[in-house]
Amino acid sequence: MAHFHALEQAKQPADYTIHLGDVYYAGASPDESRDFANWPAGGRGQFTLNSNHEMYSGAFGYFQELGLRFPLQQGTSYFSLRNANWLILGLDTAYWSDKYKLYMDGALGDAQTAWLKATASGWQGKIMLLSHHQGYSIDGSATTPLYGEVTAALGRAPDYWYWGHLHNVICYQPRNGMLGRCVGHGAIPYGPASILDGKPQVAWAETRSADDSQYPQRVLNGFIRLELNGMALTETLYDENGQRRWPLP
C-alpha cells in the first residue's frame, strides 16, 4: 500500500491522494474499511488502484470501497486526469492478470488497452502513469511484459511511471526517456533489499533502519509527494516520520 502520510498531508494538503493498491490481506470488505479508515483525502479528491491482494477476494471489497470513498472514479478501476501540460493515467493492472499466477504479473486486458490508446491519442504533453504492478524487474535490469503492453498502447514510454506491488522504495535511473519509481514502501514491513546493492540502474533505495523492536529488520516505510508546475515535476520521498529521504537532503 503506497500512499501519502497523514502527518504530511496535514502540513501540506494535497490536491489529490492516490493509493497504488494492496489492501491486506485479501482486499475483503473488512480489510478495505480498516485500511481506509484514516486515509488522508485530497482537497480535490482521491483515487485507488486495484491490485493482486484485492483480487484474492474477487475485488468485491475494492469495488464496494470505490462507491463509498472514491466517487471521482465513478465505479471504475482506472482513470485519467489532465491539464494543459500533463496526462495522468491510473491503470488497473490486476483485474486482467493471470489468476493461475495469483495475479502477480500485471496485465491490461483488451478493454483497458483500447481505453488507454483512445485517451492518449494525439496527446503532445507529458504523461505520468500510475499502476500497482511494476514496469521494471526489481533491480531495473529489464522491463516487464506490462511495460511492453503500456508502451505499445501509448506509442511510447511515459515520462514518469510510479508503481507499488514490491514492498520497497526504489528510484531507477532514466531509461528510454522515462523515470521509473517503485513506491510500495507504505506496505507491511519489509527489510533491506540486498539484491539492489551495486545495481547500475538503481539510483536510490531505502536502507535506513526503522528502529522497530517488533520487526528488527524493518527499514523505514514512507510515501511520495508530487508537485506539478507547468511542464515541471518535483518529486519528494518522505519516510513514515515525515522526514525527506529523496532527493537526499
Side-chain angles (χ1 to χ4, degrees):
M1 175 173 69
H3 57 71
F4 293 83
H5 191 276
L7 292 177
E8 184 63 27
Q9 169 73 356
K11 289 190 295 182
Q12 293 181 287
D15 290 327
Y16 298 98
T17 53
I18 302 173
H19 183 273
L20 298 184
D22 267 3
V23 170
Y24 299 97
Y25 285 91
S29 293
D31 297 335
E32 296 277 349
S33 60
R34 182 183 62 248
D35 265 35
F36 285 110
N38 296 311
W39 175 258
R44 296 187 180 183
Q46 54 191 347
F47 298 87
T48 185
L49 298 181
N50 195 12
S51 81
N52 55 305
H53 279 266
E54 276 82 340
M55 290 302 297
Y56 294 154
S57 60
F60 291 107
Y62 169 78
F63 283 102
Q64 181 181 41
E65 201 69 18
L66 284 184
L68 294 173
R69 301 179 193 265
F70 300 91
L72 291 181
Q73 290 185 235
Q74 301 178 340
T76 64
S77 55
Y78 47 95
F79 65 89
S80 67
L81 294 168
R82 74 173 70 202
N83 61 22
N85 300 300
W86 287 88
L87 175 61
I88 300 173
L89 300 162
L91 303 182
D92 181 344
T93 56
Y95 192 85
W96 291 275
S97 182
D98 189 344
K99 64 182 179 180
Y100 295 109
K101 294 183 180 179
L102 300 178
Y103 308 99
M104 290 297 288
D105 301 319
L108 293 181
D110 293 341
Q112 187 174 210
T113 298
W115 171 84
L116 188 57
K117 289 180 178 179
T119 303
S121 178
W123 179 253
Q124 299 298 313
K126 294 287 188 74
I127 295 179
M128 181 196 303
L129 201 75
L130 308 170
S131 68
H132 179 70
H133 293 85
Q134 68 269 36
Y136 296 159
S137 61
I138 185 172
D139 64 358
S141 62
T143 59
T144 63
L146 178 62
Y147 177 94
E149 292 185 30
V150 165
T151 54
L154 293 178
R156 66 176 179 92
D159 298 283
Y160 294 85
W161 187 347
Y162 297 92
W163 59 79
H165 197 39
L166 306 174
H167 299 186
N168 296 81
V169 53
I170 310 167
C171 296
Y172 297 96
Q173 301 287 1
R175 183 186 190 125
N176 298 329
M178 182 184 99
L179 282 180
R181 305 287 191 246
C182 174
V183 285
H185 62 316
I188 58 177
Y190 69 100
S194 59
I195 192 175
L196 303 177
D197 293 347
K199 295 300 190 292
Q201 284 298 316
V202 176
W204 178 79
E206 184 62 83
T207 59
R208 182 176 292 179
S209 171
D211 296 323
D212 189 330
S213 60
Q214 291 186 304
Y215 303 93
Q217 296 300 313
R218 183 169 76 85
V219 300
L220 289 164
N221 291 102
F223 65 102
I224 192 168
R225 183 181 182 91
L226 304 176
E227 297 184 29
L228 303 181
N229 185 5
M231 297 288 283
L233 180 148
T234 301
E235 57 176 16
T236 311
L237 282 151
Y238 294 91
D239 66 24
E240 62 197 64
N241 303 309
Q243 299 300 309
R244 193 180 86 178
R245 296 293 294 135
W246 174 267
L248 297 176

